[in-house]
Amino acid sequence: KTWLALLLMFALVLSACGNTNNGKKEDNASSSKNEKETVTFQSENGPVEIPAHPKRIVALWGAPYIVAFGVPVVGADAWSKASPVLQDKLKDAETVSEDDIEKIISLKPDLIVGLSTTKNIDKLNKIAPTITFTYEKYNYRDLILQYAKLVNKEDEAKKWIKDFQQRAQEAGKQIRAKIGENATVTVAENFGKQLYVYGQNWGRGTEILYQEMKLKMPKAVEEHALKPGYYAVSLEALPQFVGDYLIFCKYTEGDSDTSFMETNTFKNIPAVKNGRMFVADSKAFYFNDPITLEYQLDFFKKHFLGQ
């Protein structure tokens, strides 16, 4: 009886071990399957097979839209890396450009994303599936959704967009009640030796101010910058484009010159003279991804409403 009992126990142990090993094999097989699983993404240039769960994304443009939903990237463009509101999310990403083919290869990406103007697309496609977007083709909501689809975060993106719109629109009601329904707001920026004013869909907080808050832009800005997204102006012409309020995105890197801010021409602009100019860090205001948009909304609530 003792021997029979021992044999039975031994058989049970072997069976249990077999089941455990089979379970591990099944788990490994499932994990391997997930890594190899692909989906068809309807890109601007037609359907592209991409990983269903990309693990090593190189973003030659658009990294902020990806990391905003908790998906890391292994490579990002210099502009994204330079943003102070994105640095924590991109600290482990290598800085890459469309010309860094060898460096991109070394990062072993399983997905590459960029703009329709990105160079070397043929070479990039040989490294990994490459998706590009035409920036001006989308409003900020659709652009966020496109990137969210790439990384299986579409539902999360839709929820965020709905919540963000509600908060931005409510803040807009409060701002219009304070400054007047007909008050105009201009968004301007310096870059290099040039000054620019912006329309309603080119970052710099324009999506929030004009699309969600329903604030008005001056007629000159509407006529020249609304359709193309931005418009270059001289210092002498700038006063014609500045409304009751000025959001000035100040850029101080490279050869950018801010000495014009000390000129009488600039100082005598009514919005500047009356303390209705709010200066933002251009690098923090550049994009319209969820992280940057949250920062911009807080900026506007603080400066317009004191919140």
Side-chain angles (χ1 to χ4, degrees), residues 44 68 81 216 228 293:
E44 293 178 1
K81 294 264 298 179
K216 295 184 177 180
L293 287 167

Side-chain angles (χ1 to χ4, degrees), residues 59-70:
L60 298 172
W61 194 89
Y65 307 87
I66 296 170
V67 298
F69 293 105

Side-chain angles (χ1 to χ4, degrees), residues 40-227:
T40 301
F41 184 84
Q42 294 298 329
S43 76
E44 293 178 1
N45 299 317
V48 179
E49 289 295 312
I50 66 171
H53 306 280
K55 304 291 184 185
R56 299 188 62 80
I57 302 172
V58 166
L60 298 172
W61 194 89
Y65 307 87
I66 296 170
V67 298
F69 293 105
V71 179
V73 298
V74 295
D77 64 285
W79 282 98
S80 298
K81 294 264 298 179
S83 169
V85 299
L86 296 167
Q87 283 177 349
D88 285 346
K89 295 283 188 181
L90 294 171
K91 62 183 178 181
D92 296 325
E94 292 285 335
T95 303
V96 290
S97 76
E98 57 204 344
D99 296 316
D100 297 328
I101 300 300
E102 294 300 322
K103 190 172 185 180
I104 293 171
I105 292 172
S106 72
L107 292 174
K108 300 178 180 178
D110 55 7
L111 179 65
I112 300 172
V113 294
L115 290 174
S116 56
T117 53
T118 299
K119 296 184 296 183
N120 296 319
I121 293 296
D122 290 342
K123 292 180 181 179
L124 295 170
N125 266 316
K126 292 178 182 177
I127 301 171
T130 301
I131 301 293
T132 60
F133 297 102
T134 302
Y135 178 78
E136 56 269 31
K137 184 177 178 179
Y138 304 91
N139 61 44
Y140 85 95
R141 299 177 300 278
D142 289 339
L143 191 61
I144 290 171
L145 284 174
Q146 286 296 314
Y147 276 96
K149 286 178 186 177
L150 281 176
V151 292
N152 285 299
K153 297 289 185 178
E154 189 175 4
D155 289 342
E156 189 176 334
K158 286 179 179 178
K159 290 177 182 176
W160 179 86
I161 290 170
K162 183 179 180 181
D163 175 67
F164 182 78
Q165 284 187 287
Q166 290 175 344
R167 289 184 284 121
Q169 289 168 11
E170 177 56 34
K173 288 180 184 177
Q174 295 177 38
I175 291 172
R176 295 198 310 274
K178 181 177 179 179
I179 70 174
E181 290 289 341
N182 294 317
T184 55
V185 181
T186 298
V187 178
E189 181 184 60
N190 70 297
F191 185 77
K193 307 296 182 182
Q194 186 63 60
L195 291 168
Y196 297 89
V197 292
Y198 290 90
Q200 65 174 3
N201 199 46
W202 212 266
R204 285 89 175 169
T206 58
E207 292 84 1
I208 300 175
L209 294 170
Y210 302 130
Q211 294 184 40
E212 302 302 347
M213 291 183 171
K214 305 300 182 186
L215 299 179
K216 295 184 177 180
M217 62 178 67
K219 291 258 187 237
V221 176
E222 186 176 343
E223 290 173 4
H224 292 88
L226 184 59
K227 189 173 180 179

Side-chain angles (χ1 to χ4, degrees), residues 291-306:
I291 297 172
T292 304
L293 287 167
E294 292 284 6
Y295 174 81
Q296 292 167 347
L297 179 57
D298 286 344
F299 178 95
F300 296 140
K301 289 166 69 174
K302 175 184 176 182
H303 287 85
F304 278 108
L305 301 172

